Amino acid sequence: MAESETPKTRPRPLVRLGIFLISHSLLVSVVCCTAGVLALLLLPVLAKNTYISENALMPGSANAMLSSEDISEAHRFMNDLTGLNLKTGETGIESSRLIARYMSDLGADVNYHKFHPQPNQFRPLHFFSNSDSRIIQENICCSSHGVNTVGIIRAPRGDGKEAIVLVTPYNSHKIDLAEALSLAIAYSVFSLLTRVTWLAKDIIWLAADSKYGEYASVSAWLRDYQTPVFGDFEKPYSEICCESNARHGLKESEITERKISDVFRRAGTMAAALVIKVSDGNKQADGTLSIYAEASNGQMPNLDLINIVNNLAVHRQGLQVKVEKLLSLLDSKWLRILGEVFESVGNIARSLNPQWKFGIPAADYMEGAATLASSLYYQALGVPTGSHGAFRDYQVDAITLEISPKVALNNKIRQTEFLQRGGRLIEGVIRSVNNLLEKFHQSFFLYLLTSPSKFVSVGVYMIAFALLVAPLPIVAASLYSDANKWDSSLKKHDPTSSPKSADDEHRNILRSWKWLYAAKQVFIIHSWGVLVSLLPYLICQMPNWMSKVLTWLILGSPIIDADASQSQKREWAILKSVTISAAFIGLCLMSVINFATAEIGALLLVPMCLLAHPLRLDVRAHSLKAFTRAGCNLVLGFIGFPPAAFFVLKGSFEGFESVNISDFWNWIESLWAWNSATYLYIE
Amino acid sequence: MEEEKETTTTTTTKKKQCFWTWALASVIFRLVLIHFSRNLNLASRPEVSTPLTSLRRLAEGYWLKQSSISPYAGSMYHGSPLLLSILGPLTVQRGEGQYNHLICSLLFVIADFMTAVLIRATGQSLQMAYNQSLKSLGIVRLLERSEMLSSGDIAALVYLWNPLTIVTCVGSSTSPIENLFVVLSLYGACRRLVPLAAFGWVIATHLSLYPAILIVPLILILGYGPDSPRRKLFQQRASSKVGENPSTDIRYQQKELASQPMLPFRFSWRLVVHFILWASLWSCYVLLLCGISVRRYGGLGEMFKSTYGFILTVPDLSPNIGVLWYFFAEVFDYFRNFFLIVFHVNILFMILPLAIRLNHRPCFLAFVYIAISSLLKSYPSVGDSALYLGLLGLFVKELADMQFSFFLFCGYVGISFLSPVMHNLWIWRGTGNANFYFATAMAYACFQIILVVESVSAMLNHDRMLRKLSIMKP
C-alpha cells in the first residue's frame, strides 16, 4: 500500500536516498566492493606514526642503572647454568634449584610451581559458560610434571597490589646458550631491581619450564595465579606428589634455604608482562629485536607497551626493531607496481599542493604491506604467537621480546656487551611500566601494525571493512523489495480473475511475513552447520560406532531437505536475501570480535554471496550471460570451498591444541564460510 | 457456522494436536537445557537477570531472612517478600546436590507453560470477538483467513519457542512469574472473570510495579469488551442498514440484531466497579501478607523503600540492556532527581494519548504499554521482551501488513548476538569499554521503538481498511 502511494507524496530525502541505493544495488555493490578492496590496499599508506599516549610512562627519562657488577654476576650465573648442563645428564631439577638459589640469594621470595601439562581439549561452549571449574584429572603421574621457578621482589615503595612479570622460558632438560643468555638478562635486571629504591610494583620473575612447551607452562602458572584454590582441593594433588616433594625437601634443607617453598606465592595484579627470549642468531645475524604481540583470537596488547619497547630499543640501545612480515610478499611484482602507482599518485598530489603528504616510497609501501599482511594473518589465525598469549586471557598486556645478537656469542666480551644491552632495555621498560598509575588504557587495543613505529587504528581499517560489507544489506534489501513488488504486481494483474481473488488475498495478506519460511530454512542450514562444526567435539565424547552413524545422518540430512525446498524464483530471491542478511550479521559480529578474520572472511564471502544464483535456473535460461554467471558461480564455489574446508580443519586442530575462546570464534567463522559454500553446492 | 465447524473438525483437531506437540517439545527442550544450565551459566548474564529478578539475589535474601536479618539488608534483594517465602526454600542448597534447584527451574517451566496456555485462551476469546464484529460489519470475506492456525496458537507458540523466553526460563530469573501474572490479568479481563483479572493485576504490580499502568487497558477491556473495530463503524453500519432497507422485512433485522447481542456500545460500569473493588480487596490482602512476613524487619515502609524505591530511584547502575544505567552513571548528582522524574514521567505521558487513540483495542493497547514500559524500565531484561513479543503474536491477522518485519527480525537477531559479544569485549577482554555495550543497548531500544511504531501504524491501517470495506460493501 505504501508503495502505491509513494509517487504521490515525495518521500523525505533520507528515504529517497535509500530507495536510490536499493534500485541501483548492482552498481552500488560493485563500487563498494572495489572501494573496499582498494581501501584495504591503501592501509599501509594511511598508517600513522605511533606515539606514546600515556604521559606517566616517560620512557627513557632516567639513565640506565644497570652496572657492570650486575652483568658480571649474571655472567657467573650463566656459566653455572651451562656448567650444570655439562656435569650431569639429568638436570631437570638441578637447573631449577640453581635458579631458585640464585633468586633467593638476591633476597627474593622464591617458590616452585609444579604443573602438569594439561591434555588440551576443545570446549566449544567455553565462551558462553566462562566457567572456571577446573577438571581435576584423576590419573596424574608424578613423573610428567614440569617445575616453574618463581621469584618475587617485594617493592619497597609499593603496597603489593601490583606487579610486573618477567618470563624466561627455558628447557630444564637441556639449557642451550640462548636460553642461558635470556635467563642471564633476566637475572641481571632482577639483581638490579632488588637494590633500587624507585620500585613501586612487585617484580615477578617466572623461569618457565618449557619442557612441555612455553605456552603450557606459562598458562598453567597463570591459571594457578588467577584462580586460587580454597579448601581441600589441593590435598590429593600434593599427596600424589608427596614423594617428589619429600625428595625436594631433603635437598633443600641441606642448603638451608628459608625462603624457597612449594607454597604458591602471589604478588598483586599484573600491570604488564615481558617474555624475554634470545634467538640463536643464525638466521639474521644482526642486532635486532623482534616483537611478537598477537595473543589468542587476534587480541593485541596495548599499543603503548610496544611503543615503549620500540622507543627504548631504537633510541637508547640502538637495536633494530622488527615485527613479523610475510616475506613472500616482498618479492611479489604486483605489489611493487601498486606501490609505485601509489607513490606516483602521492607525488602528483604533492606537486599540486605541498601540504598533502600522502604518498610513501614504493619500498616502504611493500614493507608495510608485508607487515600488515602478516599482522592480519596471525590475528586471523587466532593462535598466539608465543607464551605472551596466555597473559592476554587475563587482561594482562604482554609481549615477547626476541633479541638476536649481532654475532655468535662465544666470546665473553661479546656476551657481556650483549647482556648489558638487553638488560638495559628490559630495565628501561620496567622502569616505564613502574611509573604507570593505572592499567594500560590510554592507547589502542585494536590496531594493525605496518611497521614497529607505524600502525593503522580501528577507525581507519573499519572503513575498508564497512565498504566491503556494505553491499550485503543493500542487495538484501533490493532483493527483498523486488520480491515484494513482484508479489504486488501479481496482485494487480489478478483481479481479472475474480474467483481466485480470495485465495490470492489470502496469500497476499501474509506477504510481509513471507520471509519467515526462508528464515526457517536458513536457520535449519545454519544449525546444521553448527552441528557439523561441533562434530569433532561430540565425537570425542561418544562411542565410536554411534558417532559414525550420526555423522552420516547429519551430513546426509540437509541435502534431502534442500532438494525438496527448491522452488520458484521469487522464493529464491527471498531466501537469498535472508541468507545475505544472516551473513551480514555474522560478519559484523565477527568484525567486532576479531577484525582480521572478518576481513578475510568478507573477502571470500561477499563476492560469493552476491554472485550466488541457483544453477538450475541458469541452466534453464540458456543464454550466454547465464552460462558465464553459472561458470563464475562454480569457480567461486570451488575457490570458496577448499579454503572453507581448510578453515574447518585448521579450526579443529587449533581447537585441540589450545583451549580458549578464540578457537570457538574461529570455528564460527569457518562455519560461516562453510555454510555459504554448502549453499552454493546445494543450489 | 455450525456446518462449517463440523466440516473442519478434523483439521482443527489436527491443528490442536500440532499445537500440543510443539508446546510439549518446547517444555522438553527447556528441561534438557535446565539439565545443562550449570554449564550455560545464564544466570549471571546481565541480559537475563536484573537486580530485581535474579534468583541468586533471592537466595541471598532468603538466607538473610533465615538468619533473622531483614532480607533487604545489604541491598542485595529487592523483590517481594511473598516471592521470598514461596521460592526461598527452593533455593537452599542441600547436601544432596541440586534437587531443589531443579524444582525451582521446573517451577519456571510450569510458569512459562501456563503463560502460553493463558495466551492461547486469550487469543481464542480475542478471535471470537473479532469474528463476531466482522460478521456484524458484514465483512465475511476476511474471515476466510481464519482457516490457518489461530492467532492464539501462534502467539502461544511464539512465546514458548522464543529464544528470549527460553533463555529467561533456563537462566533462573523470576520474570516468568511476573509475565504469568500479567497474562493472567489480561486473560481474566478478556473472559470477564473480574476477580481473576484483579488478582493478576495486583500481583503483577506488586512484583514489578510497571504493570500498574495496565489498569487502563484492563478497565477498557472490562468496559467495552475485547478488541473490535471502531465503535463508530457499528453505529454507521446500523444506521445505514436502517436507512437503506427500511422496506425489507423487520423479521430479518430483528434476527440480525439478535445475532449480535452484545454490541459493545455502552461502557459497562458494573464490571469496572467490581474490578476496582476486587483490586482493592486483593491489594489489601497482599499488603497484609507482606506486612506479616516483614513485620520483624522494619515493616511495610522498609519493603516499599527497597522494592518500589529501588525501582524508581535507580540506585543500581550495573549494566543491563536498558538505557537508564548509562545515563544515570553519567548525569551529575544534582540533576539526578530531575532526570529520574523525566524518565518515569515518559511512560506516564504515553498512557493517555495511546488510550484515547486505541481505546477500541484494549488488548493491543496493553501490548503497547508493556512494550513501552519494557523499553523505559529501570531494570529491563529479555524476559520483558519475551512477553511483548508473545503478545504480538495475538495480533498476527491485524498486523499482517506490518512493514519492516524482516528488518526488525534481523535487528533483534543481531542485537541478541551482539550484546553478549560486546559485554565480553568490555568485561572479559578489556579491549572495549562501556560505550560498546551501551551502543547495543541503544540499538535495542531503537528497534523496540520501531516495533511499537510500526505495529501501531499497522493496526491503525487495518482499522482504516475495515472502515473502507464496510463502507464499500454495505
Side-chain angles (χ1 to χ4, degrees):
Chain A
M1 272 184 190
E3 281 150 15
S4 60
E5 279 164 17
T6 36
K8 287 180 215 160
T9 56
R10 266 176 94 77
R12 275 161 293 177
L14 198 67
V15 180
R16 235 184 300 160
L17 186 70
I19 289 170
F20 175 79
L21 280 182
I22 286 169
S23 57
H24 297 81
S25 66
L26 184 69
L27 185 72
V28 169
S29 57
V30 169
V31 166
C32 277
C33 268
T34 44
V37 175
L38 205 68
L40 183 65
L41 291 172
L42 263 178
L43 283 185
V45 181
L46 299 175
K48 280 185 279 188
N49 285 326
T50 53
Y51 57 95
I52 290 167
S53 88
E54 172 74 81
N55 286 327
L57 285 169
M58 297 189 291
S61 61
N63 285 324
M65 291 167 71
L66 197 72
S67 62
S68 53
E69 263 175 59
D70 294 313
I71 301 298
S72 61
E73 276 291 299
H75 206 261
R76 198 162 58 84
F77 169 66
M78 197 181 88
N79 283 341
D80 278 3
L81 269 179
T82 44
L84 201 71
N85 215 5
L86 291 175
K87 254 194 301 191
T88 52
E90 190 240 340
T91 53
I93 302 160
E94 294 295 318
S95 58
S96 61
R97 280 186 54 229
L98 183 80
I99 296 169
R101 207 182 67 222
Y102 267 91
M103 281 178 182
S104 68
D105 281 348
L106 291 175
D109 290 353
V110 184
N111 74 293
Y112 297 114
H113 167 246
K114 287 192 203 60
F115 66 95
H116 298 271
Q118 285 218 335
N120 286 320
Q121 46 187 197
F122 174 57
R123 273 183 260 150
L125 292 176
H126 189 80
F127 181 82
F128 291 114
S129 55
N130 269 329
S131 61
D132 48 10
S133 60
R134 278 190 283 174
I135 305 147
I136 298 167
Q137 276 111 27
E138 299 297 320
N139 45 357
I140 300 171
C141 48
C142 279
S143 57
S144 74
H145 66 79
V147 180
N148 292 332
T149 318
V150 186
I152 301 174
I153 304 174
R154 305 291 173 187
R157 296 201 164 190
D159 49 1
K161 296 270 166 57
E162 284 175 305
I164 303 170
V165 187
L166 287 176
V167 182
T168 48
Y170 73 101
N171 189 349
S172 61
H173 274 308
K174 190 182 178 306
I175 303 175
D176 58 6
L177 186 64
E179 280 169 353
L181 270 171
S182 68
L183 282 168
I185 291 176
Y187 178 78
S188 64
V189 177
F190 205 65
S191 74
L192 169 76
L193 293 176
T194 48
R195 288 181 279 110
V196 295
T197 51
W198 44 258
L199 205 59
K201 292 179 167 61
D202 296 350
I203 303 291
I204 305 175
W205 177 17
L206 171 69
D209 188 354
S210 65
K211 199 162 40 177
Y212 304 107
E214 293 168 22
Y215 188 86
S217 57
V218 175
S219 71
W221 177 74
L222 270 172
R223 201 166 45 238
D224 286 347
Y225 190 97
Q226 303 283 2
T227 52
V229 181
F230 300 108
D232 302 330
F233 286 104
E234 213 151 10
K235 266 185 186 164
Y237 180 79
S238 59
E239 269 167 26
I240 291 169
C241 297
C242 64
E243 186 195 352
S244 65
N245 269 347
R247 210 174 44 169
H248 253 296
L250 265 176
K251 283 181 181 172
E252 271 157 23
S253 62
E254 290 167 19
I255 318 162
T256 61
E257 293 298 355
R258 158 179 65 84
K259 281 182 171 175
I260 301 174
S261 66
D262 280 334
V263 180
F264 200 92
R265 288 180 197 273
R266 290 189 173 78
T269 55
M270 302 172 196
L274 301 170
V275 182
I276 305 162
K277 285 169 82 177
V278 176
S279 74
D280 288 335
N282 299 332
K283 284 177 283 183
Q284 297 119 18
D286 47 352
T288 56
L289 172 75
S290 309
I291 298 178
Y292 299 93
E294 286 87 3
S296 64
N297 198 12
Q299 300 180 74
M300 298 292 274
N302 197 300
L303 189 56
D304 264 347
L305 189 60
I306 295 178
N307 288 344
I308 311 166
V309 174
N310 183 40
N311 192 329
L312 287 172
V314 172
H315 298 300
R316 287 289 160 134
Q317 306 304 326
L319 288 164
Q320 191 189 341
V321 181
K322 289 201 310 188
V323 279
E324 197 85 340
K325 280 176 210 164
L326 276 189
L327 291 173
S328 59
L329 273 184
L330 282 180
D331 305 329
S332 68
K333 269 196 190 112
W334 62 271
L335 202 65
R336 177 174 298 280
I337 294 167
L338 204 66
E340 275 157 9
V341 167
F342 282 139
E343 189 185 356
S344 56
V345 168
N347 284 338
I348 293 167
R350 205 169 302 138
S351 66
L352 287 177
N353 185 349
Q355 296 285 312
W356 292 344
K357 284 171 187 159
F358 170 68
I360 56 169
D364 279 7
Y365 175 78
M366 287 181 65
E367 290 266 315
T371 318
L372 185 78
S374 90
S375 185
L376 269 176
Y377 174 70
Y378 283 112
Q379 285 193 21
L381 268 191
V383 186
T385 47
S387 48
H388 56 266
F391 285 94
R392 190 60 236 180
D393 294 343
Y394 300 95
Q395 287 197 34
V396 181
D397 296 296
I399 52 174
T400 295
L401 308 176
E402 194 177 79
I403 312 170
S404 50
K406 253 184 193 146
V407 280
L409 290 168
N410 303 324
N411 193 335
K412 195 195 164 189
I413 303 160
R414 290 271 163 70
Q415 283 177 0
T416 315
E417 191 207 5
F418 177 73
L419 283 181
Q420 193 169 14
R421 267 179 146 186
R424 287 201 168 147
L425 172 67
I426 304 297
E427 186 209 334
V429 175
I430 285 180
R431 188 148 194 184
S432 285
V433 175
N434 186 52
N435 289 338
L436 213 57
L437 298 175
E438 1 182 22
K439 267 181 69 170
F440 276 112
H441 68 280
Q442 282 270 0
S443 195
F444 296 88
F445 283 102
L446 308 169
Y447 58 92
L448 296 166
L449 286 176
T450 60
S451 86
S453 59
K454 282 197 164 185
F455 75 105
V456 184
S457 81
V458 57
V460 178
Y461 67 62
M462 272 314 232
I463 294 173
F465 179 73
L467 280 174
L468 198 57
V469 182
L472 289 183
I474 291 172
V475 168
S478 80
L479 275 175
Y480 183 70
S481 67
D482 276 358
N484 270 352
K485 252 178 220 156
W486 211 65
D487 219 31
S488 56
S489 69
L490 201 140
K491 187 185 82 182
K492 270 172 204 158
H493 280 295
D494 248 347
T496 49
S497 55
S498 47
K500 259 189 180 179
S501 65
D503 182 42
D504 180 48
E505 192 149 328
H506 161 89
R507 194 198 303 155
N508 186 41
I509 282 310
L510 281 181
R511 175 173 52 123
S512 62
W513 297 93
K514 193 136 257 171
W515 51 269
L516 270 177
Y517 299 102
K520 193 184 80 184
Q521 206 171 339
V522 171
F523 174 73
I524 287 170
I525 295 246
H526 275 266
S527 48
W528 170 72
V530 169
L531 217 62
V532 165
S533 61
L534 290 186
L535 265 184
Y537 171 64
L538 292 176
I539 285 171
C540 292
Q541 306 221 324
M542 274 190 286
N544 226 352
W545 61 272
M546 196 175 149
S547 62
K548 264 183 192 165
V549 172
L550 264 179
T551 318
W552 281 113
L553 269 180
I554 289 164
L555 289 178
S557 57
I559 296 159
I560 306 157
D561 202 41
D563 266 344
S565 63
Q566 187 66 262
S567 55
Q568 287 180 13
K569 196 176 180 181
R570 178 172 47 114
E571 303 223 336
W572 154 253
I574 290 183
L575 185 66
K576 187 180 167 187
S577 89
V578 173
T579 317
I580 287 179
S581 40
F584 174 65
I585 293 174
L587 282 175
C588 285
L589 271 181
M590 202 57 214
S591 76
V592 179
I593 299 159
N594 185 349
F595 169 76
T597 317
E599 178 76 47
I600 292 172
L603 282 176
L604 282 176
L605 277 186
V606 168
M608 211 190 292
C609 281
L610 295 183
L611 287 176
H613 201 264
L615 283 182
R616 217 178 277 177
L617 288 180
D618 275 358
V619 173
R620 222 177 284 151
H622 284 302
S623 66
L624 188 70
K625 192 180 144 205
F627 271 120
T628 50
R629 197 166 51 186
C632 233
N633 272 331
L634 275 181
V635 168
L636 258 175
F638 274 117
I639 294 171
F641 198 68
F646 174 65
F647 255 125
V648 169
L649 278 179
K650 194 144 226 164
S652 68
F653 284 129
E654 279 159 20
F656 289 115
E657 265 166 31
S658 57
V659 187
N660 49 24
I661 306 158
S662 70
D663 304 308
F664 181 52
W665 285 110
N666 246 337
W667 269 78
I668 289 228
E669 178 49 36
S670 57
L671 190 144
W672 288 114
W674 206 13
N675 270 331
S676 45
T678 43
Y679 249 105
L680 269 178
Y681 263 68
I682 287 161
E683 252 84 54
Chain B
M1 185 76 188
E2 292 294 316
E3 289 141 37
E4 261 184 75
K5 259 191 182 170
E6 273 163 31
T7 52
T8 55
T9 35
T10 47
T11 53
T12 48
T13 47
K14 219 180 237 175
K15 275 173 207 159
K16 258 184 193 166
Q17 272 178 0
C18 177
F19 170 77
W20 288 113
T21 46
W22 277 105
L24 278 181
S26 83
V27 169
I28 289 166
F29 184 62
R30 264 157 235 250
L31 292 179
V32 168
L33 279 185
I34 282 170
H35 184 251
F36 295 114
S37 63
R38 277 293 159 81
N39 292 327
L40 289 173
N41 208 6
L42 283 171
S44 61
R45 305 280 339 163
E47 292 91 359
V48 176
S49 62
T50 65
L52 288 175
T53 62
S54 158
L55 198 68
R56 282 161 73 191
R57 284 173 180 255
L58 193 142
E60 175 83 12
Y62 183 71
W63 189 84
L64 286 174
K65 198 183 169 192
Q66 287 303 98
S67 26
S68 47
I69 307 170
S70 162
Y72 299 113
S75 183
M76 196 64 185
Y77 182 61
H78 300 285
S80 137
L82 298 182
L83 219 54
L84 202 63
S85 26
I86 295 168
L87 288 179
L90 299 179
T91 59
V92 180
Q93 293 275 336
R94 298 260 165 73
E96 287 302 306
Q98 11 165 313
Y99 186 63
N100 276 330
H101 163 75
L102 281 185
I103 288 181
C104 205
S105 303
L106 211 63
L107 199 71
F108 293 135
V109 174
I110 291 168
D112 259 3
F113 186 71
M114 277 172 68
T115 313
V117 170
L118 287 178
I119 286 178
R120 183 165 177 258
T122 315
Q124 278 164 353
S125 66
L126 276 183
Q127 192 168 7
M128 262 164 55
Y130 182 72
N131 288 354
Q132 210 166 27
S133 57
L134 281 193
K135 226 172 254 166
S136 66
L137 281 179
I139 321 169
V140 197
R141 205 163 59 88
L142 283 176
L143 282 178
E144 280 162 21
R145 285 182 227 158
S146 59
E147 281 174 22
M148 292 173 293
L149 208 58
S150 74
S151 61
D153 289 0
I154 291 175
L157 285 182
V158 164
Y159 183 78
L160 276 179
W161 277 105
N162 189 345
L164 302 181
T165 323
I166 293 172
V167 160
T168 316
C169 177
V170 176
S172 56
S173 81
T174 56
S175 30
I177 293 173
E178 289 166 14
N179 291 351
L180 172 66
F181 283 106
V182 171
V183 173
L184 185 70
S185 67
L186 284 181
Y187 166 77
C190 281
R191 285 285 161 98
R192 319 222 134 209
L193 304 169
V194 179
L196 195 65
F199 177 70
W201 180 73
V202 166
I203 296 286
T205 308
H206 171 65
L207 288 181
S208 62
L209 187 62
Y210 286 98
I213 56 172
L214 288 183
I215 192 167
V216 179
L218 285 179
I219 285 177
L220 285 176
I221 295 175
L222 289 173
Y224 288 123
D227 294 20
S228 62
R230 314 209 116 217
R231 276 176 287 286
K232 242 194 281 175
L233 270 186
F234 293 104
Q235 288 163 358
Q236 277 174 2
R237 175 141 184 95
S239 61
S240 72
K241 268 251 166 82
V242 172
E244 218 174 63
N245 41 8
S247 56
T248 47
D249 46 346
I250 306 154
R251 196 157 47 89
Y252 176 71
Q253 272 186 31
Q254 274 173 348
K255 195 183 164 192
E256 197 170 56
L257 279 175
S259 72
Q260 26 182 281
M262 33 180 257
L263 264 185
F265 282 7
R266 282 177 297 107
F267 190 81
S268 69
W269 284 105
R270 196 175 53 85
L271 282 177
V272 174
V273 170
H274 273 200
F275 175 77
I276 290 168
L277 282 179
W278 271 106
S280 48
L281 188 71
W282 283 120
S283 46
C284 285
Y285 184 56
V286 165
L287 283 182
L288 185 73
L289 284 182
C290 288
I292 290 170
S293 73
V294 293
R295 188 171 27 126
R296 278 179 298 149
Y297 316 114
L300 284 177
E302 173 77 15
M303 185 195 87
F304 280 127
K305 216 176 90 186
S306 53
T307 52
Y308 298 154
F310 183 75
I311 293 172
L312 291 177
T313 57
V314 202
D316 190 326
L317 298 180
S318 56
N320 54 37
I321 52 171
V323 287
L324 266 73
W325 63 273
Y326 192 85
F327 190 81
F328 283 108
E330 298 288 325
V331 83
F332 288 120
D333 254 356
Y334 35 87
F335 290 132
R336 194 184 158 88
N337 288 333
F338 171 69
F339 279 110
L340 278 177
I341 292 169
V342 167
F343 268 81
H344 291 302
V345 165
N346 235 337
I347 299 181
L348 298 181
F349 268 149
M350 305 271 192
I351 292 178
L352 198 61
L354 281 171
I356 291 169
R357 192 74 185 81
L358 290 170
N359 68 345
H360 56 291
R361 292 194 179 275
C363 273
F364 186 71
L365 183 66
F367 154 75
V368 174
Y369 279 174
I370 291 170
I372 287 176
S373 70
S374 84
L375 171 69
L376 293 170
K377 232 175 171 174
S378 44
Y379 307 102
S381 72
V382 290
D384 305 316
S385 321
L387 178 63
Y388 72 72
L389 288 178
L391 289 182
L392 184 67
L394 286 177
F395 311 103
V396 163
K397 279 163 200 159
E398 289 89 337
L399 300 182
D401 280 330
M402 198 170 130
Q403 285 184 314
F404 301 129
S405 55
F406 180 51
F407 173 68
L408 279 171
F409 174 76
C410 286
Y412 269 84
V413 170
I415 292 295
S416 55
F417 281 116
L418 204 60
S419 168
V421 165
M422 290 298 193
H423 191 258
N424 181 282
L425 277 191
W426 174 26
I427 301 292
W428 296 107
R429 289 206 192 174
T431 49
N433 52 35
N435 299 327
F436 284 44
Y437 189 66
F438 182 63
T440 61
M442 286 230 295
Y444 180 63
C446 286
F447 280 116
Q448 278 174 317
I449 290 170
I450 295 173
L451 177 74
V452 169
V453 169
E454 283 306 316
S455 59
V456 168
S457 73
M459 186 55 98
L460 294 180
N461 274 339
H462 182 74
D463 276 347
R464 261 174 230 135
M465 189 194 74
L466 282 185
R467 198 186 63 205
K468 245 185 223 167
L469 282 178
S470 75
I471 289 170
M472 265 164 51
K473 290 190 179 178

